[in-house]
Amino acid sequence: MTQIRSASELSKLKTSKTKRLYPLPGRFYGYQLIALLLLAAVFSWLGRNESFDRLLTGYWYDAALHAFPLKDNALLDLLNHRLAKYLTISLAAGTLLYGIWRRNAPLVTAALLMGLGALVVGALKAVSHHSCPWDLVEYGGDAVSFPLFGSVPADSGPGRCFPGGHSSSGFMVMGLFFAFWRDRPRLAWAMVATGVVLGLVMGYGQVMRGAHFFSHNLWAGWWVWFSQLAAYGLISRWFAKE
């Protein structure tokens, strides 16, 4: 009996060390859906005629040179385009490995959601007809620009520039929200704020180089959060049934 009881207690102890996935309340998804719809309306309005994007991009374009002076800036490329991206990718990989080692399902899921957010933006970008600023006629290139929901012109250029792929590497940090919401809600929301700040800063670095319009980065953050939210809702609901 002692041995049987000990084995049972050991089994319970192992189970207790495994942190399981938890569902979020339905009202949370309702609030987030409302927020996403409002943001989509705001972003659509800002990008209706590209005047907002051109205002910001114009600060970094030299009309006399017909080029973006910071396009090949070594420091901007190193710190913003390379180092920042490598750090966030390392954070996602580290979170995944630590979550597996600690048998922490929320951490593992959050790490996978980080990758999913960037993957969704990358997939949308791959089929986009919107070209980057440095490819457009008004900025020394050959491609013709068009509004977000406008018809695609024949000479739209190479495309593949919407949403902002690089900024999604910063926005994907928002996925860590789902690892901490139950036990440390303040830290969870801090991860959302950190992801937003990183995404905007990394995205604006690309605006300075002429690689993206700012609205491209806003939509990247939208798609990252939407995909993470939807995926977590489906995953946690499935595990709750199991």
Side-chain angles (χ1 to χ4, degrees):
M1 286 293 292
T2 302
Q3 292 179 348
I4 295 176
R5 189 178 295 114
S6 298
S8 177
E9 290 174 354
L10 181 60
S11 177
K12 290 180 179 179
L13 181 62
K14 288 181 178 180
T15 302
S16 65
K17 288 183 177 180
T18 301
K19 198 164 187 178
R20 299 182 180 279
L21 209 61
Y22 54 82
L24 292 167
R27 64 180 180 277
F28 172 83
Y29 293 103
Y31 294 147
Q32 294 302 306
L33 179 60
I34 293 174
L36 284 167
L37 289 174
L38 290 175
L39 287 174
V42 172
F43 297 165
S44 297
W45 182 81
L46 288 175
R48 68 194 186 284
N49 57 9
E50 298 186 322
S51 59
F52 172 70
D53 285 325
R54 295 180 186 281
L55 176 65
L56 296 180
T57 298
Y59 286 116
W60 307 104
Y61 177 69
D62 190 324
L65 297 175
H66 298 287
F68 290 93
L70 296 178
K71 179 179 180 180
D72 299 313
N73 181 271
L75 187 61
L76 188 60
D77 179 65
L78 174 64
L79 296 180
N80 181 72
H81 194 242
R82 299 179 186 274
L83 185 60
K85 179 172 65 176
Y86 296 155
L87 286 175
T88 56
I89 292 175
S90 298
L91 176 61
T95 300
L96 177 63
L97 295 175
Y98 183 76
I100 293 173
W101 177 56
R102 299 292 295 179
R103 290 183 294 181
N104 187 313
L107 274 179
V108 172
T109 304
L112 295 176
L113 291 178
M114 291 172 72
L116 173 67
L119 182 64
V120 167
V121 170
L124 291 171
K125 180 181 174 182
V127 298
S128 171
H129 292 284
H130 288 274
S131 294
C132 302
W134 57 33
D135 291 319
L136 300 179
V137 172
E138 49 268 56
Y139 299 113
D142 302 314
V144 175
S145 64
F146 60 99
L148 178 60
F149 300 111
S151 57
V152 182
D155 47 356
S156 60
R160 295 186 296 276
C161 201
F162 176 86
H166 180 64
S167 61
S168 68
S169 299
F171 286 123
M172 73 179 186
V173 175
M174 294 189 293
L176 289 173
F177 167 88
F178 302 97
F180 303 115
W181 182 83
R182 171 186 280 179
D183 302 323
R184 304 180 67 183
R186 289 185 179 180
L187 177 60
W189 285 113
M191 291 297 100
V192 173
T194 300
V196 170
V197 171
L198 281 174
L200 292 177
V201 170
M202 293 169 67
Y204 196 76
Q206 291 295 82
V207 172
M208 295 167 66
R209 299 178 64 231
H212 279 291
F213 282 132
F214 192 69
S215 67
H216 295 182
N217 304 312
L218 296 177
W219 278 107
W222 192 95
W223 278 107
V224 168
W225 182 242
F226 173 77
S227 61
Q228 291 176 341
L229 190 69
Y232 187 85
L234 293 173
I235 295 171
S236 60
R237 184 181 179 87
W238 185 79
F239 273 101
K241 290 182 177 180
E242 290 294 312

